[in-house]
C-alpha cells in the first residue's frame, strides 16, 4: 500500500492534520495497514519537500493542517491511472520460508506446509466473517457507506489472496510428494545388481518394451 498516495487521496477531500490522516487512513482500510503518527508526519514532510502538499494553516485546536497542491493532485490522479508494477514483486515471507526449508536438515517441510495451511484457513474464515459484518453495516446504513465499501474491497482482496495461498500450499505438498516418489524409484531402476553385471536371463526394461511392441503388432 502506498502511504504517500493514500495520504494525498485523503487530502484531496480537504485539509487535514497528521493524527486525523492516520485515523481516516485506518478507517478506510479497516486497520489492515496500521500507521503511527510519526510515520504520517515523516511522509507529510517528504510530500511537502516534493511540492505535493503545503501547510494550510491551523484548526481551532491549534493543529497544523496540510493541503494538497495542484502538483500533488496531478500526481494522485496519475497514480490512479497507472497500473501497479509487478516487475519487482514484494518479498513474501512464506515463499522464502518454504524455499529455505527444502532440503534443510531436520526440517519436515510437509509439517511446515500443514501448519501454514491451518493458519491460512483460519485467516480466510476471519476475513469472511468480517466481510459479512461489513455487508450488514452497508445494508443497514449504520455507518459511513464510503468507508464500509472501501473496507469491503480490502477484505475481498484478502479473501482472494488467502484462497490462492491455500491452493498454492496444496500444490507445494503435491509437488513434494511427486518428487519424493521419483527419488525413491530412481535408485531401484538405475543401480545394477550387486557385482556390477546383469543376469542375462532377467528381462531388461528394453526387452519388456520390445515384447509389448511385438504382442501389439501380432494383435
Amino acid at each position: 500500500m502506498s502511504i504517500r498516495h493514500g495520504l494525498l487521496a485523503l487530502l484531496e477531500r480537504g485539509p487535514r492534520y497528521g493524527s486525523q490522516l492516520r485515523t481516516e487512513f485506518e478507517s478506510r482500510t479497516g486497520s489492515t495497514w496500521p500507521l503511527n503518527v510519526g510515520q504520517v508526519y515523516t511522509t507529510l514532510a517528504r510530500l511537502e519537500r516534493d511540492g505535493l502538499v503545503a501547510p494550510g494553516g491551523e484548526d481551532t485546536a491549534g493543529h497544523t493542517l496540510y493541503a494538497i497542491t495542484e502538483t500533488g493532485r496531478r500526481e494522485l490522479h496519475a497514480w490512479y491511472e497507472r497500473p501497479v508494477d509487478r516487475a519487482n514483486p514484494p518479498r513474501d515471507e512464506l515463499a522464502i520460508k518454504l524455499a529455505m526449508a527444502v532440503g534443510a536438515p531436520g526440517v519436515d517441510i510437509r509439517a511446515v506446509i500443514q501448519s501454514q495451511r491451518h493458519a491460512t484457513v483460519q485467516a480466510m474464515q476471519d476475513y469472511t466473517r468480517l466481510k459479512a459484518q461489513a455487508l450488514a453495516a452497508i445494508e443497514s446504513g449504520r455507518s459511513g457507506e464510503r468507508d464500509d465499501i472501501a473496507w469491503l474491497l480490502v477484505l475481498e482482496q484478502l479473501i482472494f489472496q488467502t484462497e490462492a495461498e491455500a491452493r498454492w500450499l496444496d500444490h507445494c505438498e503435491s509437488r513434494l510428494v511427486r518428487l519424493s516418489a521419483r527419488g525413491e524409484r530412481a535408485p531401484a531402476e538405475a543401480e545394477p545388481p550387486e557385482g556390477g553385471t546383469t543376469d542375462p536371463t532377467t528381462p531388461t526394461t528394453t526387452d519388456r518394451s520390445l515384447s509389448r511392441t511385438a504382442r501389439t503388432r501380432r494383435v
Side-chain angles (χ1 to χ4, degrees), residues 117-133 155 158-163 166:
R117 183 187 288 113
H118 176 77
T120 300
V121 170
Q122 181 63 57
M124 195 186 313
Q125 292 170 347
D126 292 341
Y127 294 146
T128 301
R129 185 180 66 256
L130 291 171
K131 175 183 175 181
Q133 293 173 1
L155 278 171
L158 292 171
I159 290 169
F160 289 139
Q161 204 170 51
T162 50
E163 287 175 345

Side-chain angles (χ1 to χ4, degrees), residues 137-154:
I138 292 170
E139 292 169 359
S140 67
R142 288 197 305 268
S143 57
E145 184 173 329
R146 178 163 52 185
D147 284 351
D148 284 328
I149 292 174
W151 174 219
L152 179 63
L153 294 178
V154 171

